[in-house]
Amino acid sequence: MNLDSRIPSGPIEKKWDNCRFDMKLVNPANKRKYTVIVVGTGLAGGSAAATLGELGYNVLCFSHQDSPRRAHSIAAQGGINAAKNYQNDGDSIYRLFYDTVKGGDFRAREANVYRLAQISVNIIDQCVAQGVPFAREYGGMLANRSFGGAQVSRTFYARGQTGQQLLLGAYQALERQIQAGSVKMFPRREMLDLIVIDGVARGVVTRDMVTGRFEATVADAVVLGTGGYGNIFYLSTNARNSNATAIWRAYKRGAAFGNPCFTQIHPTCIPVSGEYQSKLTLMSESLRNDGRIWVPLRKGDTRPPAQIPEAERDYYLERRYPSFGNLVPRDVASRNAKMVCDEGRGVGPSGFGVYLDFAGSINRLGADTIRERYGNLFEMYERITGEDPYSLPMRIYPAVHYTMGGLWVDYRLQSTIPGLFVIGEANFSDHGANRLGASALMQGLADGYFVLPYTIGDYLASSKLEKLDASHAAARQGLDGAGELTRKLLGIKGKRSVDSFHKELGKYMWEYCGMARNAKGLEHAQGKIAELRDEFWKNVNVTGGGEEINQALERAGRVADFLELGELMCLDALQRRESCGGHFREEWQTPEGEAQRDDENFSHAAAWLHQGPGKTPERLVEPLAFEYVHPSQRSYK
Amino acid sequence: MKIILHVWRQKDRNAEGKLVRYECPNVSEHMSFLEMLDVLNEDLTAKGDDPVAFEHDCREGICGCCGFVINGVAHGPMPGTTVCQLHMRHFKDGDELYLEPWRAMAFPVLKDLMVDRSAFDRIIAAGGYVSVSTGAPPDGNALPVPKSDAERAMDAAQCIGCGACVAACPNASASLFTSAKVSHLGLLPQGQPERHERALGMVRQMAIEGFGACGNIGECEAVCPKRISIENIARMHRDFLCAAFAERPHVETGGAG
């Protein structure tokens, strides 16, 4: 199979216009005759379902939550980027494009990133019109802040709850369509399989999580907006129920998986406190605007922070990166925190933590200003740790946060299975090997509101799709498969809980496929994961039955998929013999310890094609051409 | 420390439920309340018992999934805190805690501590939005919004839809939830054109779902993890009254030809 990225012709600023003009339109009167399935109701899925409903399509929307408003986009704190240049500080569409390509360490498709930067402007207008209460200046204009190392203030925000407010905007638009009858909502449904007929995606198999009933639903196209797979690490900032099952089962039906090893480790999270830890909490990186990161200069210095004099502190980011200081991109900040902790200079009971200190800012600006900027974050920190960050420096440590990898899609967001579209974090597109802060919300909404609704129309208008119903053999086969898998999981009745397998998998992933990777470790992890998977299928204990609410069963299915995906991530990390962005191979680093790319051999996206159980997947390659942003060694010195 | 739990166990919507006693030895003060339940569930699983079903997702106090009543208080003893953010350091060795699901006619119990809150979605669907389709709206700065209005709108918009307000209200009213959305949009210029229809639609839907009316008791505000003020309820009532007086039958005025 060849990967055809379908990048439109013309200069980069015209590509999306050209594409929109070239695409076929669906006659308004015919739209209601097309049924589109949308799985997931986060920023991407929710905005897509609402927009498709507004356009007149017949939309069936599935979510494993009880309400579309619960999707994990809700937890995004910091903000959303847009090239509005309201601050007159030199921002432009081209600069946002440039920053994103560079920030992604030259592993994203230029045309996609440019489109994202173009659309960013429309997103803000759309959200304001919906009544999203963005922060305002006294004159009533929208406020901006600088975020995640950007040299311009292009981030729009709603206190520390930007994701919540944007998601509620999309959710309300979706509820409006549900009321209008154009979208039918199926909450508490988990997608367990993709129905592919004659090589084309035609539906999904789902399980009703209340009754346990399996349902096959057919349509003219399927859209997955099911989020990322960061929970493979067990501990991550993702919500506990975020999972890879929908994209993984689509992968097993033939959708290529792009760059699975590209994961983002966020530098500012609250450190692990014990074995029982169930998730990690992010502290917005906006805190790095006013907080200074340091560790003791000396190994094993256990004095309380206030007793360590300035001369015996190492503000290691400011020392190593004088021009960006504490605002270096996420991958750089995370790797440096790991480095100082591995040297034995970490702080806190576990030794896996660094200080994020506000004492200087509080002295300079006053506690009230700091409270106004970060009050809710400080409160959250105190609630979790029992420590007051106004008087003691915060302790932070990196944690898994986002996955840049995902199902491979072309410029039109279609996967390698015709009729299967993938949007938001679930796809592999726009962020390359590292995502910049405040860009996830931008991409989710760009895909859902402004890209997919056009491109899916072209697909529907130019395809000849036979009418069919859920009694089709492929649908029945999907139902049987899902039922059989569930019976198998319930029938093992072994000795170990689902969580114990998940925790062990997470440890291998974090240790060997986390912030730093090497060939030996990755090969070791592959073996360990395969052993663990064998044990899982012999010894997992899933209590309860299949025809009821059964949270252990839900988790078991997801962990079974993670146990396969983990091996693919290691394989991808092993094959990418270079360092780039969040993928740091210890064998490839500059003398200063920075990521060393190999553009000659790896300036491409890798997409893995499933070959059947037990077989090594095929590695396809999409070469990346950089015609506008010339690849350079990223330097934040 | 050791904590004794009495947990409401109910197999499904139609089954009869009862409180079951569990002991949780070795609870660490750094655990969250839900992490204590995770450990209990691991123990129950090891014994082959059915783990306690409870809803949770983000565990950061923002998704609104979690929530149950601890010793008679929705989300437990810490003000402004969801159960997922409630840590065991606020309890002491030997504490005996009673965990029950939200109780309201409009929130039927699904299993153990899980309830069906889909009524909230239907209240939003009855008008909790600005009717603007995706397209090319005016520039975000075309309509200035006074900072104080934006802030008050945001105060109301913070609602996470957890349902604690309903559980705490003696009338099982959803007034705080409904008024938070009515206020959020009613305070912004974008929400003005549909302000009346919104208040009418949402308040009526609230009654249809079987929620009670507001009696100005204030329990909702006391337990709200986002500290949403009952001032919003007053605003909703005012909008509803104005709208009810001004309401005219909807007349179609013919097509465009």
Side-chain angles (χ1 to χ4, degrees):
Chain A
M1 178 192 271
N2 269 333
L3 294 173
D4 179 5
S5 56
R6 292 205 286 172
I7 297 170
S9 58
I12 198 149
E13 63 279 4
K14 289 275 176 216
K15 283 183 192 293
W16 180 228
D17 273 356
N18 291 349
C19 179
R20 281 195 290 179
F21 184 72
D22 289 342
M23 285 189 291
K24 285 190 183 156
L25 299 174
V26 178
N27 178 321
N30 283 340
K31 282 187 178 140
R32 67 188 161 78
K33 296 180 189 160
Y34 288 107
T35 300
V36 179
I37 287 173
V38 178
V39 186
T41 60
L43 285 180
S47 61
T51 305
L52 292 171
E54 289 160 5
L55 288 170
Y57 294 105
N58 177 34
V59 181
L60 308 175
C61 187
F62 295 81
S63 154
H64 69 69
Q65 320 270 4
D66 67 325
S67 161
R69 67 180 294 154
R70 312 271 186 225
H72 185 53
S73 307
I74 202 139
Q77 298 170 358
I80 176 165
N81 286 331
K84 280 285 197 185
N85 194 30
Y86 280 158
Q87 306 306 321
N88 195 30
D89 55 2
D91 199 10
S92 62
I93 288 169
Y94 200 88
R95 187 175 296 280
L96 176 54
F97 155 69
Y98 177 92
D99 287 354
T100 308
V101 171
K102 180 186 170 204
D105 217 359
F106 306 95
R107 291 294 174 264
R109 200 184 281 148
E110 273 191 336
N112 280 55
V113 179
Y114 194 87
R115 175 178 66 189
L116 179 65
Q118 281 177 305
I119 289 174
S120 69
V121 174
N122 307 86
I123 295 172
I124 299 303
D125 299 339
Q126 183 64 34
C127 294
V128 167
Q130 289 173 344
V132 170
F134 283 119
R136 300 265 171 179
E137 304 290 356
Y138 282 102
M141 297 295 139
L142 290 158
N144 291 116
R145 62 181 167 205
S146 155
F147 194 82
Q151 307 279 57
V152 291
S153 289
R154 62 159 75 102
T155 303
F156 294 78
Y157 60 100
R159 295 195 191 146
Q161 291 126 282
T162 318
Q164 181 198 25
Q165 293 310 313
L166 295 175
L167 182 65
L168 293 182
Y171 157 72
Q172 288 161 205
L174 179 59
E175 289 296 336
R176 176 172 159 245
Q177 292 311 307
I178 293 170
Q179 185 83 340
S182 58
V183 178
K184 186 158 169 32
M185 185 68 217
F186 298 87
R188 295 193 196 271
R189 302 298 204 289
E190 178 143 41
M191 173 178 154
L192 295 180
D193 208 351
L194 180 74
I195 299 171
V196 180
I197 296 172
D198 300 330
V200 176
R202 292 303 302 268
V204 293
V205 173
T206 52
R207 177 175 178 270
D208 180 323
M209 295 156 79
V210 176
T211 63
R213 218 161 58 106
F214 298 101
E215 294 154 338
T217 312
V218 294
D220 297 300
V222 177
V223 181
L224 300 185
T226 53
Y229 49 91
N231 267 346
I232 192 169
F233 290 83
Y234 187 74
L235 288 181
S236 84
T237 65
N238 285 11
R240 289 269 290 175
N241 295 313
S242 299
N243 67 80
T245 288
I247 56 171
W248 190 249
R249 306 224 174 153
Y251 163 77
K252 289 170 97 170
R253 291 281 175 197
F257 205 120
N259 299 331
C261 80
F262 286 173
T263 26
Q264 176 161 83
I265 317 272
H266 195 290
T268 53
C269 302
I270 299 177
V272 175
S273 70
E275 260 305 299
Y276 49 80
Q277 188 98 21
S278 62
K279 79 151 291 181
L280 295 169
T281 303
L282 180 87
M283 290 277 102
S284 168
E285 75 184 322
S286 61
L287 292 167
R288 288 198 278 150
N289 287 343
D290 285 306
R292 296 179 71 196
I293 293 176
W294 64 277
V295 289
L297 208 49
R298 189 158 57 75
K299 255 193 226 180
D301 187 341
T302 53
R303 286 176 292 175
Q307 288 174 24
I308 302 179
E310 279 294 316
E312 293 173 43
R313 298 176 174 192
D314 181 12
Y315 294 90
Y316 57 90
L317 289 178
E318 297 172 24
R319 172 171 58 80
R320 296 194 63 198
Y321 307 96
S323 69
F324 278 69
N326 294 298
L327 294 175
V328 290
R330 292 174 173 178
D331 53 337
V332 180
S334 293
R335 209 148 46 232
N336 277 275
K338 175 179 159 57
M339 238 147 52
V340 295
C341 291
D342 289 349
E343 287 166 20
R345 298 195 287 145
V347 300
S350 65
F352 290 101
V354 300
Y355 289 126
L356 177 60
D357 198 337
F358 291 88
S361 297
I362 290 173
N363 277 338
R364 187 162 45 88
L365 304 163
D368 285 345
T369 305
I370 295 299
R371 186 171 292 115
E372 192 186 308
R373 286 185 192 168
Y374 311 111
N376 56 340
L377 298 170
F378 276 41
E379 209 177 289
M380 178 146 91
Y381 181 83
E382 184 171 6
R383 207 175 282 142
I384 292 170
T385 62
E387 289 175 1
D388 170 23
Y390 291 98
S391 53
L392 272 176
M394 284 185 179
R395 283 179 295 112
I396 53 161
Y397 197 66
V400 175
H401 181 54
Y402 186 88
T403 48
M404 284 76 69
L407 293 184
W408 183 92
V409 289
D410 61 20
Y411 184 77
R412 299 183 181 190
L413 305 180
Q414 184 170 251
S415 71
T416 53
I417 302 176
L420 177 68
F421 292 78
V422 191
I423 56 178
E425 191 180 350
N427 74 26
F428 90 117
S429 62
D430 309 352
H431 308 294
N434 174 55
R435 180 176 64 74
L436 291 179
S439 286
L441 303 184
M442 174 171 70
Q443 186 221 337
L445 290 181
D447 288 0
Y449 281 135
F450 295 107
V451 181
L452 177 95
Y454 288 97
T455 59
I456 206 167
D458 175 69
Y459 169 76
L460 294 170
S462 38
S463 308
K464 285 216 162 26
L465 297 163
E466 245 179 89
K467 282 282 155 217
L468 46 92
D469 60 44
S471 63
H472 190 280
R476 283 208 312 276
Q477 192 203 341
L479 279 174
D480 291 346
E484 196 181 318
L485 191 74
T486 299
R487 277 191 296 281
K488 206 168 148 192
L489 286 168
L490 287 166
I492 298 167
K493 300 202 183 303
K495 295 264 180 284
R496 280 184 70 179
S497 71
V498 175
D499 274 13
S500 82
F501 283 100
H502 194 177
K503 278 184 190 173
E504 189 177 336
L505 172 67
K507 281 184 183 153
Y508 297 139
M509 296 306 294
W510 180 245
E511 194 62 38
Y512 302 109
C513 199
M515 273 187 281
R517 299 137 179 211
N518 61 56
K520 199 168 150 245
L522 289 164
E523 280 164 4
H524 176 72
Q526 284 180 312
K528 283 289 185 190
I529 294 168
E531 277 172 33
L532 188 65
R533 192 170 57 233
D534 285 346
E535 195 198 334
F536 177 88
W537 285 107
K538 287 185 193 123
N539 197 26
V540 72
N541 178 15
V542 184
T543 52
E547 284 160 13
E548 59 189 42
I549 294 176
N550 188 339
Q551 294 173 324
L553 175 64
E554 293 158 17
R555 282 202 301 276
R558 297 167 190 168
V559 171
D561 291 337
F562 282 145
L563 282 163
E564 295 176 359
L565 170 58
E567 216 178 324
L568 182 69
M569 288 169 70
C570 291
L571 178 62
D572 186 46
L574 200 56
Q575 297 281 314
R576 190 169 276 281
R577 291 180 296 277
E578 63 159 353
S579 293
C580 57
H583 170 64
F584 189 75
R585 280 286 297 266
E586 287 167 346
E587 303 95 315
W588 286 276
Q589 49 183 307
T590 64
E592 298 92 44
E594 303 297 337
Q596 178 81 62
R597 283 197 327 267
D598 176 355
D599 289 337
E600 201 161 316
N601 295 304
F602 288 95
S603 185
H604 61 238
W608 296 88
L609 206 56
H610 186 60
Q611 303 292 312
K615 297 201 179 114
T616 307
E618 187 188 353
R619 187 177 191 269
L620 306 173
V621 162
E622 180 201 343
L624 297 170
F626 293 92
E627 294 170 41
Y628 294 87
V629 187
H630 187 67
S632 57
Q633 166 77 33
R634 277 197 311 162
S635 172
Y636 298 95
K637 294 270 174 200
Chain B
M1 59 183 163
K2 180 167 138 182
I3 301 283
I4 294 158
L5 298 177
H6 300 267
V7 184
W8 185 261
R9 301 303 306 263
Q10 180 173 336
K11 197 168 165 32
D12 58 42
R13 194 185 281 248
N14 303 315
E16 213 165 290
K18 62 171 195 277
L19 285 164
V20 179
R21 184 177 186 278
Y22 300 103
E23 285 187 10
C24 298
N26 309 321
V27 174
S28 152
E29 58 166 8
H30 294 298
M31 279 180 177
S32 72
F33 204 95
L34 299 189
E35 284 168 349
M36 175 179 67
L37 292 185
D38 290 341
V39 173
L40 170 68
N41 277 345
E42 285 288 286
D43 291 349
L44 291 175
T45 306
K47 285 188 220 151
D49 289 344
D50 199 21
V52 178
F54 61 92
E55 292 215 71
H56 63 97
D57 203 8
C58 76
R59 298 204 176 191
E60 294 183 14
I62 192 77
C63 73
C65 281
C66 73
F68 42 79
V69 174
I70 303 173
N71 283 359
V73 182
H75 285 304
M78 289 292 288
T81 306
T82 54
V83 286
C84 67
Q85 294 265 286
L86 177 64
H87 280 67
M88 297 312 295
R89 69 179 70 91
H90 304 297
F91 297 89
K92 56 181 195 304
D93 188 37
D95 272 356
E96 228 172 316
L97 306 174
Y98 289 80
L99 314 188
E100 294 171 84
W102 295 159
R103 299 242 183 245
M105 192 178 79
F107 283 170
V109 174
L110 291 175
K111 184 177 181 180
D112 300 341
L113 302 174
M114 288 171 74
V115 299
D116 178 356
R117 288 169 290 194
S118 53
F120 272 10
D121 290 330
R122 292 187 291 273
I123 293 176
I124 297 294
Y129 42 74
V130 173
S131 296
V132 51
S133 296
T134 308
D139 185 88
N141 263 346
L143 203 54
V145 179
K147 187 177 165 73
S148 58
D149 290 356
E151 294 293 329
R152 283 191 298 154
M154 182 63 200
D155 288 341
Q158 289 191 75
C159 170
I160 58 174
C162 65
C165 48
V166 174
C169 176
N171 295 345
S173 172
S175 287
L176 193 64
F177 168 81
T178 309
S179 70
K181 191 49 65 191
V182 167
S183 289
H184 156 212
L185 297 173
L187 282 160
L188 294 173
Q190 290 82 4
Q192 296 313 308
E194 295 167 293
R195 188 168 163 184
H196 282 181
E197 288 90 331
R198 180 178 308 117
L200 289 173
M202 292 180 75
V203 172
R204 284 171 182 161
Q205 189 64 34
M206 182 172 80
I208 292 168
E209 296 291 344
F211 294 104
C214 176
N216 279 326
I217 290 166
E219 286 283 348
C220 53
E221 182 185 81
V223 299
C224 175
K226 295 293 150 186
R227 300 191 171 105
I228 291 174
S229 163
I230 51 172
E231 179 190 312
N232 294 305
I233 300 181
R235 193 177 289 112
M236 173 179 78
H237 285 161
R238 196 172 57 215
D239 279 5
F240 180 80
L241 274 176
C242 293
F245 280 116
E247 197 179 10
R248 293 281 179 277
H250 185 71
V251 183
E252 292 293 347
T253 51

